[in-house]
Amino acid sequence: MTIKSLRVSNCRIISHVELEPSPGFNLISGQNGSGKSSLLEAIYLLGTGRSFRSSSTSSVIKKGERSLIVSADIETESGQIVTVGMERGKSCNRLHIDRSPIKQLSRAAEILPIQIITPESINLVMGSPRGRRSFLDWGMFHVEHNFLSATRNYKKNLRQRNALLKRKKFSESEMSYWNKALSDAGEEISSYRANYLEELTELYQQKLSPRLGSLSEGEVGFSYRRGWRESATLCETLEQGVERERVVGHTLSGPHEADMAIKSGDGVAKNVLSRGQAKLLSVGLYLSQLSHLYRKTGKKGIVLFDDMFSELDHQNSLTILEYLIDSGHQVFATTTEGDVSLLNERDLEMFHVEHGGVSTVVKQTITA
Ligand SMILES: Nc1ncnc2c1ncn2[C@@H]1O[C@H](COP(=O)(O)OP(=O)(O)O)[C@@H](O)[C@H]1O
Ligand SMILES: [Mg+2]
């Protein structure tokens, strides 16, 4: 997928911006607070219906305005142009694809697979299991058709079982019905995720690891922790756990407790790696996901890379930059003006963002 043209109105500091990005690497530079991340936020919003910076979309709408609008002409891998537009405001929440109103936000995500990498992405290695589960689920959503319905089903069953546990009083047959329903959906999700992680690991070791010099091949390993004991089925685990779960009032085992364990040498990666190395590893994992998506579906995802060079040294910044350029993905990367010297020798599209105003983005090209 490639964004051929983009129009953004009333997104945070941005009043109105129109861009015709390159199908390759687009560098967005500007001072702190100039609106670089806001531009990425607008693209992300179009593809996911959510902001990556705040949980409420209303804080993303420019102060004093009623709604924000983002629209883009997107070229698919078959050369077709699809126009996706969305408007978000207090009294409107609209998504249009080729001018037809669409109800499910997931339709836009299918057309526009977006991979976002921010300074917080380091939490994929350093943070809690929740981030690693969402990471795996991003991949599943895009490559496994049944994943979305299996997840909805699992969540629904989990809510029901938890409600029963909170009630404290229930019949054995009632609980065994929900144990079975939850474990069927849970085993399905778990096998998708385990299989996905295996394929992803192979791609990471083949494509990324050899390029990430300071994280040499074979040093890093990944394994799926499914959220219940290896020696039992989920249904057995749920049956055996009922009494303890009745006390705490919720379900303690299942894919909602899963994790992706990341090792570096003999240790747990987050205890061994430096922050720079952890960032490099996180970026490597996100980029492996895009390779996997392409291999499985022929779709090229779009990369939004906010504050691209933060925490990376000169050499690693170049490694990532070159990988991204070679990958052929459309990339929108932001950087502060100080880092632009890194890119002097490369032929990239560059956009410069300046504080406020209607035409805040001026297109330039830097060549060697
Ligand atoms: N809802 C909003 N309306 C108007 N301006 C906003 C809104 N939210 C944030 N801002 C302003 O937008 C600017 C942040 O822009 P941002 O895209 O984060 O900059 P950069 O990424 O270039 O550092 C800040 O100056 C902030 O005060
Ligand atoms: Mg920013």
Side-chain angles (χ1 to χ4, degrees):
M1 310 292 158
T2 307
I3 297 179
K4 303 285 282 182
S5 63
L6 175 73
R7 298 159 291 277
V8 180
S9 297
N10 298 335
C11 180
R12 295 198 190 266
I13 198 172
I14 298 171
S15 293
H16 184 75
V17 157
E18 297 198 5
L19 286 187
E20 288 193 4
S22 137
F25 197 99
N26 296 279
L27 187 79
I28 299 157
S29 74
Q31 293 175 345
N32 290 336
S34 59
K36 305 181 295 296
S37 302
S38 307
L39 195 55
L40 299 194
E41 209 172 6
I43 302 173
Y44 188 78
L45 211 57
L46 186 65
T48 64
R50 298 191 311 270
S51 158
F52 63 85
R53 293 202 287 182
S54 54
S55 51
S56 82
T57 322
S58 58
S59 61
V60 188
I61 301 168
K62 189 171 167 60
K63 281 191 198 90
E65 299 294 338
R66 299 170 71 85
S67 67
L68 76 80
I69 299 176
V70 189
S71 72
D73 296 333
I74 296 157
E75 186 172 358
T76 66
E77 269 67 36
S78 60
Q80 216 189 334
I81 301 285
V82 181
T83 302
V84 181
M86 57 152 290
E87 180 172 15
R88 295 295 281 270
K90 284 197 185 74
S91 53
C92 60
N93 198 352
R94 284 191 271 263
L95 174 70
H96 281 79
I97 297 179
D98 281 337
R99 298 199 162 66
S100 308
I102 301 289
K103 286 237 158 60
Q104 313 102 310
L105 288 177
S106 57
R107 283 289 315 284
E110 283 163 22
I111 294 173
L112 202 60
I114 290 181
Q115 186 67 280
I116 177 92
I117 306 175
T118 71
E120 283 71 45
S121 298
I122 193 174
N123 289 331
L124 184 58
V125 175
M126 307 300 257
S128 69
R130 179 192 289 264
R132 289 184 286 278
R133 287 194 294 271
S134 335
F135 167 82
L136 292 174
D137 292 349
W138 183 95
M140 309 297 337
F141 170 81
H142 287 288
V143 302
E144 178 54 65
H145 288 303
N146 296 329
F147 182 72
L148 194 58
S149 63
T151 305
R152 283 184 180 145
N153 203 5
Y154 183 78
K155 283 186 180 156
K156 188 189 76 193
N157 293 334
L158 184 61
R159 270 197 307 276
Q160 298 284 357
R161 189 174 185 273
N162 284 345
L164 211 58
L165 288 167
K166 271 202 192 76
R167 233 168 61 197
K168 312 277 182 205
K169 284 193 179 144
F170 43 80
S171 71
E172 211 172 289
S173 64
E174 224 178 343
M175 182 48 82
S176 69
Y177 173 85
W178 289 112
N179 286 347
K180 171 87 173 66
L182 188 63
S183 63
D184 284 351
E187 297 270 6
E188 186 181 358
I189 291 173
S190 192
S191 76
Y192 291 147
R193 282 193 186 147
N195 182 40
Y196 176 70
L197 184 57
E198 206 171 296
E199 292 177 4
L200 200 67
T201 303
E202 194 188 313
L203 266 173
Y204 177 87
Q205 302 295 10
Q206 260 174 20
K207 290 192 149 199
L208 270 301
S209 186
R211 296 179 75 143
L212 304 180
S214 51
L215 289 167
S216 63
E217 197 171 356
E219 197 183 299
V220 175
F222 313 97
S223 55
Y224 184 59
R225 302 270 164 80
R226 59 186 188 164
W228 73 94
R229 282 183 296 134
E230 287 303 322
S231 54
T233 64
L234 179 53
C235 199
E236 287 162 355
T237 309
L238 293 174
E239 279 163 7
Q240 289 158 11
V242 170
E243 284 320 310
R244 198 155 76 91
E245 291 173 326
R246 197 202 294 261
V247 177
V248 292
H250 63 266
T251 305
L252 296 168
S253 306
H256 63 287
E257 294 291 331
D259 196 2
M260 169 175 83
I262 309 180
K263 288 196 120 193
S264 174
D266 293 334
V268 177
K270 75 171 171 189
N271 299 333
V272 178
L273 300 180
S274 72
R275 283 188 66 84
Q277 286 175 314
K279 164 131 186 188
L280 202 60
L281 174 55
S282 308
V283 172
L285 278 166
Y286 282 112
L287 298 180
S288 307
Q289 254 191 341
L290 286 168
S291 296
H292 183 267
L293 173 72
Y294 184 59
R295 183 178 278 188
K296 284 290 208 201
T297 65
K299 280 188 197 170
K300 282 209 158 163
I302 290 171
V303 185
L304 305 181
F305 207 147
D306 202 17
D307 283 330
M308 179 170 173
F309 303 121
S310 74
E311 310 222 40
L312 293 179
D313 62 26
H314 184 82
Q315 188 49 49
N316 285 330
S317 297
L318 287 180
T319 303
I320 296 292
L321 180 69
E322 267 149 23
Y323 181 85
L324 282 169
I325 293 172
D326 291 353
S327 74
H329 287 286
Q330 187 175 40
V331 182
F332 295 83
T334 72
T335 183
T336 53
E337 287 169 306
D339 299 324
V340 174
S341 60
L342 265 176
L343 309 159
N344 282 344
E345 315 234 321
R346 286 159 185 83
D347 190 3
L348 309 166
E349 287 300 320
M350 185 171 150
F351 298 91
H352 187 72
V353 186
E354 274 177 31
H355 188 81
V358 175
S359 52
T360 46
V361 177
V362 179
K363 189 173 171 184
Q364 308 168 2
T365 306
I366 14 172
T367 44

